[in-house]
Amino acid sequence: VETTGGPPPNHRITEIAAVIVQDGEIREVYETLVNPERSIPPFVSRLTNISWDMVKDAPKFSAIVPTLLDKLEGNVFVAHNAQFDWSFLSHEIQRASGARITGNQLCTVRLARQLLPQLPRRSLDYVANYYGIEITGRHRAAGDAVATARCLLRLLNEAEDRGCTTWEDLQKLMRQRSSKKKKKRSAWPSPVTRDTTA
């Protein structure tokens, strides 16, 4: 998801993409701009290249809920920093339709932390660069989602090399403690006190 900034309910989704991965291949890419029904801060527009003019005639979130629920049904929800995307998505779906979504989630940041301890950071840029994956349209929903899907496929190959062949195996891997003790960080972005995008 791309959003107007911080956490819901004050901030809203401006663009969303879903990439369906099946049998080791990207099968479908769904993307749409979303009218957030509120203004987009200028520094967010500079980061995402999404302006009010682009979203003012886009569908409101309530109009795309049936499509999103169809994409989610029966699938594992995967995102790079899954907690952020899941919380926005679940909040917006509940706000628009009253439906509560549940399901398995997989965070590629956490997976990369287990499988790529040699990387200094596990941002999407670092993980994609490590695998030689080009991100076309960074900070746009489809560009980031396609890159995440490609990283996921590479990470799953690495996990399989370590004997992870089932969902339960992956969950066990994710629960393993890293040898380095790190300070726990929030999935939410830090509050913005100044424009650092210039």
Side-chain angles (χ1 to χ4, degrees):
V1 298
E2 297 300 331
T3 73
T4 59
N10 294 331
H11 288 274
R12 307 287 292 277
I13 291 173
T14 57
E15 188 176 43
I16 193 163
V19 177
I20 307 298
V21 174
Q22 187 177 31
D23 298 325
E25 293 182 16
I26 292 174
R27 302 284 185 176
E28 178 188 349
V29 178
Y30 166 80
E31 65 176 313
T32 183
L33 288 164
V34 179
N35 182 332
E37 303 179 73
R38 59 146 290 168
S39 62
I40 304 172
F43 75 92
V44 173
S45 286
R46 284 194 293 275
L47 177 67
T48 63
N49 290 312
I50 298 172
S51 66
W52 175 251
D53 282 345
M54 293 168 64
V55 298
K56 66 182 181 183
D57 296 321
K60 294 179 181 175
F61 193 85
S62 56
I64 64 169
V65 168
T67 301
L68 291 175
L69 291 176
D70 182 60
K71 306 291 180 202
L72 290 168
E73 187 176 358
N75 289 317
V76 174
F77 177 86
V78 180
H80 206 73
N81 195 352
Q83 183 181 349
F84 178 84
D85 291 66
W86 180 263
S87 63
F88 249 108
L89 190 61
S90 58
H91 180 272
E92 287 288 82
I93 287 174
Q94 187 171 4
R95 181 191 61 78
S97 69
R100 286 182 178 269
I101 58 171
T102 59
N104 291 325
Q105 301 168 47
L106 180 63
C107 179
T108 48
V109 173
R110 291 184 59 211
L111 192 55
R113 207 172 281 145
Q114 292 294 344
L115 295 170
L116 306 174
Q118 70 276 24
L119 291 187
R121 297 180 61 198
R122 298 345 176 282
S123 68
L124 183 57
D125 296 293
Y126 270 77
V127 176
N129 185 60
Y130 175 79
Y131 287 126
I133 294 167
E134 182 182 354
I135 307 177
T136 306
R138 184 70 172 106
H139 297 297
R140 292 298 299 269
D144 288 356
V146 168
T148 298
R150 289 182 175 145
C151 288
L152 170 69
L153 292 171
R154 298 294 296 274
L155 288 164
L156 289 177
N157 284 341
E158 299 233 11
E160 188 175 13
D161 289 345
R162 296 188 187 195
C164 293
T165 58
T166 65
W167 176 251
E168 291 72 25
D169 292 339
L170 264 184
Q171 294 308 295
K172 188 176 177 183
L173 174 70
M174 300 284 274
R175 286 192 296 269
Q176 289 178 1
R177 297 251 181 225
S178 173
S179 56
K180 292 181 183 175
K181 192 122 179 167
K182 291 193 174 180
K183 182 182 170 189
K184 187 168 178 151
R185 296 187 331 184
S186 169
W188 293 106
S190 301
V192 176
T193 55
R194 61 192 175 92
D195 182 357
T196 59
T197 59

